[in-house]
Amino acid sequence: MKKVLFFWVAVCSMLTASAQQRPQFGEKPKLVVGIVVDQMRWDYLSRYYNKFGEDGFRRLIDQGYSFDNCLINYLPTVTAIGHTSAYTGTTPAFHGICGNNFFIDGKDTYCCSDKTVQPVGSDNQKAGCMSPVNLLSTTIGDQLRLHTDFKAKVIGVSYKDRASILPAGHSGNAAYWLDTKNRQFITSTYYMQELPQWAKAYNKQLAKNKEFEKVGKDVGLYPLTGHITTDMAIAALKGERLGQGEETDMLCVSYSQTDVIGHKWGTRGDHTDEVYLELDKDLTRLFAALDEQVGRGNYLVFLTADHGAAHNNQFMQDNKLHAGKWASDNVKKELEQYIASKLGAAKPVVLGIYDYRIFLDHQGIAEQGLELQRVKDVAIEYLRQSPNLSFVVDYEKAAMAPVSQFLRERMINGYNFHRSGDIIVCVEPGYYEYGSWSSPTGTTHGEWNPYDAHIPLLFYGWKVPHGASPREVHITDIAPTVCAWLHIQQPNACIGEALQFSK
Ligand SMILES: [Zn+2]
């Protein structure tokens, strides 16, 4: 009898312990901090673990919770889509951000370009005419704002406009990004007419930054961008008194220098080592500022990446590994010639090849009296003969395509018929798109393979137990998890699931 009683006491106390890990209704953190590290492969966590200090990345690993197998569940794996999917819990099919650049019904569009708004903080039209106008669904921040009758403050900060604007959503109070020409953080009239005093004060400091003056517009190639982004995030934290109101606030910080450096110098070498170790120090500073202002245990952090990156193709070949270049410029030229010779198209019919997707000119095809399906079939016929492609799929027939279910699902998740083009290809493992813009020592990303699609996912802080899980989860699970913990509705096109933190 005693044994049975002891057993029940043990079970009950275990249940109480696990119940306590989850926030109860009425409980809420003071602040949510979302951190996205652009181009951070999951394996960088272990590669640099012994070199990291205790209070940056390692605070999240050693004290927080790591989902060790977080994958991106759509194609292509690029920056704007990654940021959007993490914060909306959904994929391009629903949120409509189908690339950094894509065609909307045949019109070449930059993801955040908005000619109806003006820059605020500089007169640089090219850098400042930006907003979330092309985003079709809500973000975590939008839901937080809705839930609190717009009392919660939501702010985005990054070097890249898209990495600041898309996380902050439609109703974010502000998104700030760097105008590298004027060396200032700016925003647009979508958010406000004038920068707040604290932002102007920080910009004054930035104008005197000698290191920034020296490197100028190339700042993205230096760890300095991480320092500046952190300074701006801390300035926003203090200036807006985030985490000090009645409602939960949200700060979305994205670090982009890691991507710029990766594109230039690849996944290996001094530049990449330096930028991650410097970023570790930036995170240490950010967490210290959060501890001081909001208090340890009062804020909830998640850290992830928008995508990873392949190893440099030459580095792979030098080490006898299968890899190479896929020259999309040449493919486009040859594809045009092939279609012209087969169908007699007098004018070009390919608008562009963006991120392994072929965008056809529907209007031009119709004007030439050609049938779209016939053009697609001929294009596919050519692409299937072209080297180093594993799969060539007509998007409209993807559901029936003879490719694995795993890949089919990722293609369809990424497909929005107004914005994603007509044909998607997958290159052989180790291969990547290479053009006149590519750095021979660098890398890129965009594919489904683990090097591009396996990203860190760490939670830390308010109510988060220490632990790790090896199970497969997805970038689209981040938003519903945060929303579940805040007891707020999920974003309005969310397809992910709220994750359990089991010890
Ligand atoms: Zn990139």
Side-chain angles (χ1 to χ4, degrees):
M1 186 64 196
K2 247 187 185 173
K3 260 186 190 168
V4 173
L5 191 67
F6 177 76
F7 173 76
W8 276 112
V9 168
V11 167
C12 289
S13 63
M14 271 164 66
L15 285 173
T16 316
S18 69
Q20 276 170 355
Q21 284 165 24
R22 297 199 57 173
Q24 305 296 302
F25 276 95
E27 292 183 315
K28 58 191 177 192
K30 290 180 181 299
L31 180 68
V32 177
V33 184
I35 302 170
V36 180
V37 183
D38 200 324
Q39 207 188 104
M40 183 170 183
R41 293 164 54 113
W42 175 74
D43 60 359
Y44 286 167
L45 288 175
S46 60
R47 185 168 165 81
Y48 296 119
Y49 182 83
N50 289 326
K51 291 184 178 162
F52 285 148
E54 283 181 9
D55 262 316
F57 281 105
R58 275 183 56 181
R59 199 201 275 202
L60 307 186
I61 301 167
D62 296 344
Q63 297 174 41
Y65 198 94
S66 174
F67 288 94
D68 288 338
N69 192 22
C70 181
L71 302 180
I72 295 176
N73 52 343
Y74 54 78
L75 283 168
T77 48
V78 298
T79 297
I81 310 182
H83 280 83
T84 309
S85 301
Y87 283 90
T88 60
T90 192
T91 68
F94 302 95
H95 63 56
I97 299 298
C98 294
N100 298 330
N101 284 84
F102 47 97
F103 292 85
I104 301 183
D105 292 329
K107 188 170 173 277
D108 202 349
T109 307
Y110 173 67
C111 58
C112 291
S113 172
D114 184 353
K115 294 287 172 242
T116 69
V117 302
Q118 290 296 312
V120 170
S122 90
D123 56 2
N124 186 346
Q125 299 272 324
K126 196 166 170 249
C129 296
M130 302 288 172
S131 84
V133 66
N134 293 313
L135 173 63
L136 304 178
S137 64
T138 60
T139 60
I140 304 168
D142 285 327
Q143 295 303 138
L144 190 56
R145 297 266 294 151
L146 278 164
H147 191 84
T148 61
D149 295 328
F150 302 94
K151 287 187 194 118
K153 282 188 180 176
V154 175
I155 291 185
V157 175
S158 183
Y159 159 83
K160 289 182 182 173
D161 53 70
R162 55 187 180 272
S164 168
I165 290 169
L166 297 168
H170 288 279
S171 68
N173 299 73
Y176 301 100
W177 60 93
L178 204 56
D179 170 359
T180 51
K181 190 175 152 219
N182 292 302
R183 305 202 311 273
Q184 298 279 281
F185 272 98
I186 61 169
T187 185
S188 81
T189 52
Y190 178 84
Y191 303 97
M192 63 189 77
Q193 297 301 316
E194 198 181 342
L195 288 177
Q197 280 310 320
W198 63 262
K200 286 184 184 171
Y202 179 64
N203 272 340
K204 264 190 192 160
Q205 242 177 285
L206 206 52
K208 289 185 224 152
N209 187 314
K210 291 279 171 234
E211 210 184 332
F212 196 176
E213 198 179 331
K214 204 170 108 195
V215 299
K217 288 177 83 170
D218 284 338
V219 67
L221 286 168
Y222 296 85
L224 174 65
T225 294
H227 309 335
I228 289 171
T229 305
T230 307
D231 289 343
M232 183 65 178
I234 294 172
L237 179 74
K238 291 183 176 163
E240 297 291 341
R241 300 176 57 78
L242 297 178
Q244 297 188 316
E246 270 180 33
E247 301 294 350
T248 303
D249 294 324
M250 185 164 191
L251 178 62
C252 314
V253 188
S254 291
Y255 289 101
S256 310
Q257 70 280 6
T258 40
D259 183 66
V260 185
I261 285 169
H263 281 289
K264 179 86 175 166
W265 287 293
T267 55
R268 291 286 185 268
D270 293 347
H271 292 281
T272 302
D273 292 352
E274 185 193 16
V275 77
Y276 279 95
L277 298 182
E278 286 296 309
L279 175 58
D280 188 51
K281 292 180 201 158
D282 288 327
L283 291 180
T284 302
R285 273 195 313 124
L286 180 64
F287 297 150
L290 288 162
D291 288 349
E292 194 189 314
Q293 177 162 320
V294 188
R296 237 176 219 251
N298 291 330
Y299 59 94
L300 172 67
V301 176
F302 67 84
L303 182 144
T304 189
D306 51 351
H307 55 76
H311 291 310
N312 175 271
N313 71 87
Q314 193 59 51
F315 161 82
M316 292 286 276
Q317 285 176 15
D318 291 347
N319 290 288
K320 299 193 286 186
L321 292 150
H322 182 74
K325 301 169 184 170
W326 187 66
S328 57
D329 280 354
N330 297 348
V331 171
K332 182 170 181 272
K333 244 181 273 163
E334 289 166 18
L335 180 60
E336 285 284 14
Q337 285 163 5
Y338 190 84
I339 294 169
S341 71
K342 285 272 174 172
L343 298 176
K347 291 183 195 160
V349 294
V350 182
L351 290 172
I353 301 181
Y354 286 179
D355 308 315
Y356 307 103
R357 294 161 306 170
I358 288 90
F359 289 77
L360 296 173
D361 181 0
H362 293 198
Q363 202 185 329
I365 287 168
E367 280 167 11
Q368 296 186 68
L370 299 170
E371 194 200 333
L372 177 63
Q373 190 59 53
R374 182 78 186 110
V375 176
K376 273 201 263 186
D377 291 344
V378 168
I380 289 167
E381 191 179 280
Y382 163 76
L383 291 164
R384 289 223 167 116
Q385 296 164 22
S386 114
N388 308 117
L389 291 179
S390 305
F391 303 102
V392 181
V393 171
D394 177 343
Y395 261 133
E396 286 291 326
K397 295 179 180 171
M400 301 294 288
V403 298
S404 77
Q405 173 58 25
F406 168 91
L407 210 50
R408 237 175 12 228
E409 189 179 305
R410 277 151 176 73
M411 290 174 177
I412 293 170
N413 281 344
Y415 179 55
N416 176 303
F417 73 87
H418 291 291
R419 303 180 173 201
S420 299
D422 301 278
I423 297 161
I424 182 163
V425 302
C426 289
V427 286
E428 289 170 9
Y431 274 72
Y432 53 81
E433 198 173 359
Y434 195 96
S436 52
W437 64 89
S438 303
S439 156
T441 53
T443 181
T444 191
H445 49 86
E447 274 289 6
W448 64 272
N449 310 71
Y451 46 77
D452 281 349
H454 185 192
I455 51 174
L457 177 56
L458 295 152
F459 288 87
Y460 162 81
W462 186 71
K463 305 270 179 188
V464 175
H466 176 50
S469 167
R471 89 173 171 96
E472 182 183 322
V473 302
H474 302 120
I475 189 170
T476 47
D477 297 332
I478 298 169
T481 304
V482 173
C483 291
W485 276 50
L486 299 181
H487 292 110
I488 65 171
Q489 187 54 275
Q490 298 171 348
N492 63 8
C494 184
I495 63 160
E497 70 174 278
L499 300 172
Q500 297 272 359
F501 297 71
S502 46
K503 281 194 176 178

